[in-house]
């Protein structure tokens, strides 16, 4: 297949490009390389995962409709994986307009391009943050997601609604993946694993929110990529979906939530020194617990995460200490 991956310089996108090309697909990756976090990390991912045989990378913004349409005209994609988005729950509190352009305007451009240049399947990134104030755990795709606690979460819920409308109106097969907390080598520097590793290594204090009383469904990057590839190959068929709309939503996580303090302990052990902890209250936009019920993805797609936290943290810290880490 010929596949477009947006957000290709991102944590998941870069590894996904590498995996798809490795199995024989022709992959084009695009990313606007914004400076939300250190661009050196994005450039390092491109060099490591996004160039070479069966892989091409182009700098492009999905909010640029003309450039995106020209790309679709020229390439004739069979499938699209849209991972491009302005990320970050806390960042959405202080920079709300960044989310409008990328997560709403950009996603509409992707939907229009897929409609006008018919693709066989659009897989797009949603987020566990859509569950918001949902107190029931584990989170199920059947739960209501009407109470977002951040603009980021609201934008991801909007993506799900927009994709459903296009699936219904134009028969565009769409699958949304509600990603839970992802970690591993080449991870984002604004997320807890990298922040903790950096601070502990330097002997600096780490910020621990809600007094450390938080639970997260940490999932290793390789498991996430495998699940995304399996989902891409599993095209929804209208006759098999609710209301005959070729549209599916899946949780993709580990289903074994970990206490934040236990996660920190694993990093301390891998780094080889204890962390100095500064305990703070819950941040605006955060939730106490994330826990994925991945039953549907397991039964329908064959997804099964296999990397244990201890193994994953060890691999992450090995990379973090290595010369491959451009932020070392």
């Amino acid at each position: 297949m010929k596949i477009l991956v947006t957000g290709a310089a991102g944590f998941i996108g870069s590894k996904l490009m590498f995996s798809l090309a490795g199995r024989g697909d022709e992959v084009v990756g695009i990313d606007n390389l914004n400076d939300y976090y250190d661009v050196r990390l994005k450039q390092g991912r491109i060099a490591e995962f996004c160039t070479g045989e069966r892989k091409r990378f182009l700098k492009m913004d999905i909010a640029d409709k003309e450039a995106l349409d020209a790309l679709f005209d020229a390439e004739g994609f069979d499938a699209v994986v849209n991972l491009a988005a302005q990320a970050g729950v806390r960042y959405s509190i202080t920079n709300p307009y960044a989310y409008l352009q990328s997560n709403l305007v950009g996603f509409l451009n992707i939907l229009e391009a897929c409609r006008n240049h018919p693709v066989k399947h659009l897989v797009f990134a949603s987020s566990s943050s859509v569950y918001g104030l949902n107190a029931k755990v584990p989170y199920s795709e059947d739960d209501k997601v009407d109470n977002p606690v951040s603009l980021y979460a609201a934008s991801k819920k909007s993506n799900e609604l927009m994709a459903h409308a296009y699936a219904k109106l134009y028969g565009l097969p769409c699958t949304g993946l509600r990603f839970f907390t992802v970690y591993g080598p080449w991870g984002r520097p604004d997320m807890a694993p990298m922040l903790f590793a950096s601070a502990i290594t330097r002997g600096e204090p780490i910020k621990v929110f809600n007094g450390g009383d938080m639970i997260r469904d940490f999932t290793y990057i390789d498991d996430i990529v495998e699940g995304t590839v399996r989902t891409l190959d599993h095209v929804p068929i209208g006759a098999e979906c609710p209301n005959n709309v070729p549209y599916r939503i899946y949780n993709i996580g580990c289903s074994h939530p970990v206490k934040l303090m236990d996660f920190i302990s694993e990093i301390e052990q891998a780094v080889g020194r204890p962390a100095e902890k500064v305990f703070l209250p819950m941040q605006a936009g955060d939730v106490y617990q994330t826990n994925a019920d991945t039953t549907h993805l397991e039964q329908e797609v064959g997804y099964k995460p296999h990397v244990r936290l201890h193994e994953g943290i060890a691999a992450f810290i090995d990379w973090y200490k290595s010369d491959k880490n451009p932020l070392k």
Side-chain angles (χ1 to χ4, degrees):
M1 286 196 298
K2 190 172 190 179
I3 302 168
L4 172 66
V5 175
T6 75
F11 182 26
I12 300 172
S14 57
K15 293 284 189 74
L16 179 64
M17 274 195 73
F18 187 81
S19 178
L20 290 170
R23 72 172 194 169
D25 292 317
E26 181 182 352
V27 193
V28 177
I30 63 173
D31 199 293
N32 66 1
L33 297 178
N34 68 35
D35 60 358
Y36 167 63
Y37 59 78
D38 198 320
V39 176
R40 289 178 299 165
L41 188 59
K42 298 179 181 183
Q43 292 170 335
R45 294 183 188 130
I46 293 169
E48 185 80 6
F49 303 112
C50 303
T51 57
E53 190 175 0
R54 292 188 291 274
K55 302 186 293 290
R56 282 184 292 136
F57 177 83
L58 304 169
K59 184 179 179 182
M60 185 180 296
D61 194 328
I62 62 170
D64 185 342
K65 186 177 186 303
E66 289 186 3
L68 194 66
D69 287 343
L71 179 69
F72 272 75
D73 280 337
E75 299 291 347
F77 297 113
D78 297 304
V80 176
V81 183
N82 183 64
L83 302 175
Q86 177 57 59
V89 170
R90 292 168 190 156
Y91 189 74
S92 70
I93 305 296
T94 54
N95 297 273
Y97 286 97
Y99 293 77
L100 176 65
Q101 275 299 106
S102 182
N103 299 13
L104 297 180
V105 173
F107 189 60
L108 177 60
N109 290 342
I110 289 289
L111 288 169
E112 279 288 287
C114 289
R115 172 173 80 94
N116 293 322
H117 308 80
V119 302
K120 298 172 184 174
H121 194 190
L122 167 63
V123 175
F124 66 94
S126 185
S127 167
S128 62
S129 66
V130 300
Y131 290 105
L133 295 175
N134 183 11
K136 170 187 161 291
V137 290
Y139 296 156
S140 166
E141 297 92 339
D142 300 321
D143 296 339
K144 287 189 175 181
V145 287
D146 300 330
N147 300 291
V149 295
S150 69
L151 183 63
Y152 171 72
S155 73
K156 287 300 185 180
K157 174 57 180 174
S158 298
N159 287 171
E160 294 183 4
L161 296 172
M162 293 162 72
H164 186 276
Y166 271 68
K168 171 62 176 175
L169 288 171
Y170 308 113
L172 172 65
C174 294
T175 302
L177 289 172
R178 291 175 177 168
F179 290 103
F180 284 67
T181 309
V182 188
Y183 75 99
W186 296 95
R188 277 172 34 199
D190 62 315
M191 294 187 71
M194 189 84 91
L195 292 171
F196 291 159
S198 176
I200 295 171
T201 300
R202 292 182 170 88
E204 299 171 354
I206 64 173
K207 296 178 180 180
V208 183
F209 294 104
N210 204 39
D213 184 20
M214 298 176 76
I215 298 172
R216 288 292 180 268
D217 198 325
F218 291 102
T219 314
Y220 192 66
I221 181 62
D222 290 1
D223 287 332
I224 289 290
V225 168
E226 181 190 350
T228 304
V229 172
R230 286 178 176 270
T231 301
L232 180 64
D233 292 341
H234 188 79
V235 183
I237 299 169
E240 299 174 359
C241 297
N243 303 310
N244 294 314
V245 178
Y247 172 88
R248 295 292 285 128
I249 286 287
Y250 295 111
N251 288 334
I252 182 165
C254 188
S255 294
H256 292 90
V258 177
K259 293 180 179 178
L260 179 60
M261 296 305 293
D262 292 340
F263 187 79
I264 293 172
S265 178
E266 286 284 354
I267 295 180
E268 289 174 320
Q269 292 177 45
V271 171
R273 65 188 300 174
E276 179 186 345
K277 305 173 185 71
V278 177
F279 293 97
L280 298 170
M282 182 79 88
Q283 285 263 287
D286 271 354
V287 295
Y288 164 67
Q289 178 173 356
T290 63
N291 181 358
D293 179 349
T294 58
T295 302
H296 290 309
L297 195 63
E298 291 173 15
Q299 292 179 346
E300 297 176 26
V301 180
Y303 167 77
K304 190 70 176 177
H306 64 274
V307 179
R308 298 175 181 270
L309 183 67
H310 184 73
E311 304 168 54
I313 291 295
F316 165 63
I317 296 300
D318 283 347
W319 167 83
Y320 181 83
K321 293 179 176 179
S322 77
D323 291 335
K324 285 193 172 185
N325 177 5
L327 307 185
K328 182 181 174 183

